[in-house]
Amino acid sequence: MEKQEFCILVRRLRADILAASQRFLGNEAEAEDNVQDTLLKLWSIRGELDAVRSIPALAYAICRNLCISKLRKRKIIPLELNEEMRLASAHDSQWMLEEKENARWLEERIGELPASQMQILRMSQQDGLENSEIAELLGISETTVRATLCKARKTLLKQFMMHNKT
């Protein structure tokens, strides 16, 4: 999708994304941030948007999932847990470093997957879409989505097993 086409699309979708964000978040500033995050995600996959059957549905799904993530982050932690977490964090710094390395390694491996596997895996894992939603958005069967996810996960598992042997 060309930049000009994308700009036209954004003008058409922006008001709906903002309204949905405000309904979820109840805060105008957060809703505006969510619109920007949603549009940024769409921009990052703009090369694949021509293959998507319903861009408004994809935009809404991305918006909804970003809102859910923001709402989860709003949890308030009781003061007594804050102290426990501070002590535990000092203890777990090595573990956290290893987790960051593993996450970076996994993201690199995901980036090496064939484009269709990478797209479907990210839609499932990062965007939280159901197989039926992915199938509808991409115009493929749900069986194809399941098979592609299975193949991508098997490939990543195999690479992970080899990585951990070293």
Side-chain angles (χ1 to χ4, degrees):
M1 176 175 284
E2 296 294 321
K3 182 180 178 182
Q4 191 171 5
E5 286 178 276
F6 185 81
C7 290
I8 293 168
L9 174 70
V10 165
R11 282 188 212 111
R12 219 179 64 224
L13 294 175
R14 192 174 199 298
D16 292 336
I17 296 170
L18 181 60
S21 295
Q22 287 176 330
R23 276 193 313 272
F24 277 107
L25 301 171
N27 178 314
E28 194 172 328
E30 268 190 305
E32 191 62 46
D33 287 344
N34 198 67
V35 170
Q36 295 302 316
D37 292 342
T38 301
L39 296 177
L40 185 61
K41 271 199 177 271
L42 282 173
W43 175 255
S44 70
I45 61 168
R46 71 188 176 283
E48 297 144 23
L49 290 179
D50 291 331
V52 175
R53 192 169 25 174
S54 175
I55 296 173
L58 175 62
Y60 179 79
I62 292 170
C63 170
R64 181 193 68 213
N65 290 327
L66 288 170
C67 286
I68 290 169
S69 294
K70 285 177 173 62
L71 290 171
R72 285 182 180 151
K73 289 178 184 175
R74 282 186 186 173
K75 288 183 180 174
I76 298 172
I77 301 171
L79 289 175
E80 56 274 3
L81 284 181
N82 279 336
E83 182 61 24
E84 284 181 38
M85 288 173 57
R86 189 185 63 75
L87 293 172
S89 69
H91 217 214
D92 293 338
S93 61
Q94 178 63 32
W95 176 81
M96 288 172 42
L97 181 62
E98 290 173 9
E99 284 300 305
K100 283 183 183 179
E101 282 181 33
N102 285 338
R104 190 176 318 116
W105 179 89
L106 181 60
E107 190 58 39
E108 288 173 6
R109 298 299 81 73
I110 290 172
E112 294 170 357
L113 289 171
S116 62
Q117 289 180 19
M118 179 175 53
Q119 180 185 23
I120 291 173
L121 183 68
R122 286 195 168 140
M123 290 174 86
S124 174
Q125 299 301 119
Q126 291 175 348
D127 298 335
L129 299 177
E130 298 291 328
N131 291 350
S132 58
E133 294 173 305
I134 296 169
E136 183 180 332
L137 290 170
L138 298 179
I140 58 177
S141 72
E142 198 171 335
T143 304
T144 303
V145 172
R146 279 195 303 273
T148 304
L149 276 172
C150 182
K151 190 171 185 177
R153 289 175 177 150
K154 279 183 181 180
T155 300
L156 292 172
L157 179 61
K158 184 178 178 182
Q159 290 177 346
F160 183 73
M161 299 298 269
M162 291 173 54
H163 174 71
N164 280 344
K165 285 183 181 178
T166 60

